[in-house]
Amino acid sequence: MSVAAKKRTGVQRARRTSRLTAAQIEALFARLKALNPKPTTELEFTTPYELLVAVTLSAQATDVGVNKATRKLFPVANTPQAIAALGVEGLKPYIATIGLYNTKAANVVAMARQLLDQHDGQVPRDRAALEALPGVGRKTANVVLNTAFGEATMAVDTHIFRVANRTGLAPGKTVRAVEDGLLKAVPAAYLHDAHHWLILHGRYVCKARKPDCPHCAIRDLCRYPDKTPGEPAPLAD
């Protein structure tokens, strides 16, 4: 093996195995909390059902795009009864600006009917029941359980997956591995809000193509070997 190949292999091995210590993880979340004491989703909602619909619509779409659609939809239909009454063809015009809207319309209407048939029109506070709804997977169930019902779940999306691996917080090859790693690694005091902090950090700072490392509050803790060059921004008083 060439020297260059050995070097690459060494870097890859370091990326796979380098993890933050418990003290570093504590410091990481303390800093994120100081910057944003009460984080929450950027999706707009007022009830658990509105949140469930919004999260279902957000797959492969931006929160901004979903909010634009639900600002028109929810004043007209924001209950399972109203969505079921709209039907698929009636729902489509409200969400046509969102990617995969045909499939999402079918799922949201089927979800509404299932909630009416099996749960008296209420969003269940149960993972298995949530995941049995059309269009609802583990990530969506985790968001609803956390944000609507206050449970300490970890909804791993692409942002959290990236941040967990880059920083060394909870490296993993799959979304479920990262979720399980985070649930073990994140201190209990931070667990309820952790996925919001990590999503926002990945969305606005630890971006996929060009992370804003010079303005990152956890730059000195992060194990990512390819940090964006630049002098760290001074800490605010």
Side-chain angles (χ1 to χ4, degrees), residues 48-161:
Y49 180 67
E50 286 186 356
L51 177 64
L52 177 60
V53 171
V55 178
T56 302
L57 295 176
S58 72
Q60 299 184 47
T62 66
D63 288 359
V64 171
V66 172
N67 289 338
K68 287 181 179 178
T70 57
R71 285 171 195 160
K72 298 177 181 178
L73 172 63
F74 288 159
V76 175
N78 69 338
T79 65
Q81 295 87 343
I83 292 290
L86 268 184
V88 175
E89 294 307 314
L91 176 58
K92 283 182 183 180
Y94 291 100
I95 65 170
T97 55
I98 300 174
L100 306 175
Y101 74 93
N102 286 309
T103 298
K104 291 176 181 178
N107 283 335
V108 169
V109 171
M111 177 201 303
R113 291 171 178 163
Q114 189 164 316
L115 287 173
L116 292 169
D117 292 342
Q118 300 180 16
H119 302 286
D120 296 322
Q122 301 300 309
V123 177
R125 187 174 180 169
D126 176 81
R127 177 185 300 282
L130 284 168
E131 291 188 29
L133 296 171
V136 176
R138 186 176 183 86
K139 184 185 77 173
T140 296
N142 278 335
V143 172
V144 173
L145 289 171
N146 177 276
T147 306
F149 298 121
E151 297 191 14
T153 59
M154 187 64 63
V156 178
D157 68 351
T158 56
H159 298 302
I160 291 183
F161 187 81

Side-chain angles (χ1 to χ4, degrees), residues 194-206:
H195 96 265
H196 293 301
W197 282 317
L198 296 175
I199 286 173
L200 295 171
H201 189 70
R203 183 174 291 165
Y204 296 113
V205 181
C206 194

Side-chain angles (χ1 to χ4, degrees), residues 18 38 45 52 61 105 125 131 141 164 166 207 210:
S18 183
K38 295 183 179 180
F45 73 99
L52 177 60
R125 187 174 180 169
E131 291 188 29
R166 278 182 176 173
K207 294 172 281 191
K210 188 178 180 182

Side-chain angles (χ1 to χ4, degrees), residues 19-32:
R19 291 175 179 266
L20 298 182
T21 66
Q24 290 170 328
I25 292 172
E26 175 73 31
L28 181 152
F29 283 105
R31 293 182 195 178
L32 295 181

